[in-house]
Amino acid sequence: MGEAKRYSGGCLCGALRWEAEAEPLYQGHCYCADCRKASGSGFVPYMGFAAQAVTITGDALSYGSPAANGNIALRNSCPTCGGLVFGGERGKSEEFTIYAGSLDDPSQFRPNAAIFTQGRPDWAAIPTHFTIFERMPPDAG
Ligand SMILES: [Zn+2]
């Protein structure tokens, strides 16, 4: 068995942190309107990890909104600095979605998919090598 790659990151002030010892299950950019509003940006860069591979420390402010699959999607940000750090519910979700901009080493992020591109504004550009999904890809969440 090879050494599991280690990823870590956190919010702007450092109070809400995460570590993962596994390869991401998927990684890409989400262009949905909720991600745009939540982040104040054109898309959210995400990495999915199995929950058992992730350790999260620090308090989070959790905000829920209806997801495409009918569930409530929880976004977790730092209550001190407001940085968005992860999606999912601690102690309950089987996977966490990490906001890739929170990585300590952002060069570890290798996105390859653009999801929920339907309704994307022109200024939120998609890198040319990405696989494009107008909605949710069939093999995710
Ligand atoms: Zn913070």
Side-chain angles (χ1 to χ4, degrees), residues 3-126:
E3 264 181 51
K5 196 164 182 179
R6 189 175 164 280
Y7 298 82
S8 66
C11 67
L12 175 59
C13 78
L16 180 56
R17 298 277 309 162
W18 62 270
E19 287 185 11
E21 288 196 36
E23 289 302 319
L25 304 170
Y26 44 82
Q27 41 190 334
H29 293 180
C30 182
Y31 293 85
C32 82
D34 286 5
C35 278
R36 191 169 66 243
K37 287 283 189 178
S39 67
S41 185
F43 61 88
V44 159
Y46 62 87
M47 310 168 82
F49 288 103
Q52 67 264 27
V54 180
T55 304
I56 297 166
T57 53
D59 290 333
L61 174 68
S62 301
Y63 181 78
S65 58
N69 62 9
N71 296 331
I72 295 295
L74 274 189
R75 298 173 190 272
N76 303 276
S77 58
C78 172
T80 300
C81 72
L84 273 167
V85 176
F86 71 99
E89 187 169 353
R90 285 154 115 170
K92 190 171 170 191
S93 296
E94 294 179 356
E95 294 174 8
F96 289 121
T97 308
I98 301 290
Y99 286 71
S102 70
L103 276 164
D104 293 329
D105 176 3
S107 72
Q108 289 182 307
F109 185 45
R110 295 275 188 266
N112 56 24
I115 69 171
F116 289 104
T117 61
Q118 199 173 56
R120 170 187 65 90
D122 289 343
W123 51 263
I126 300 173

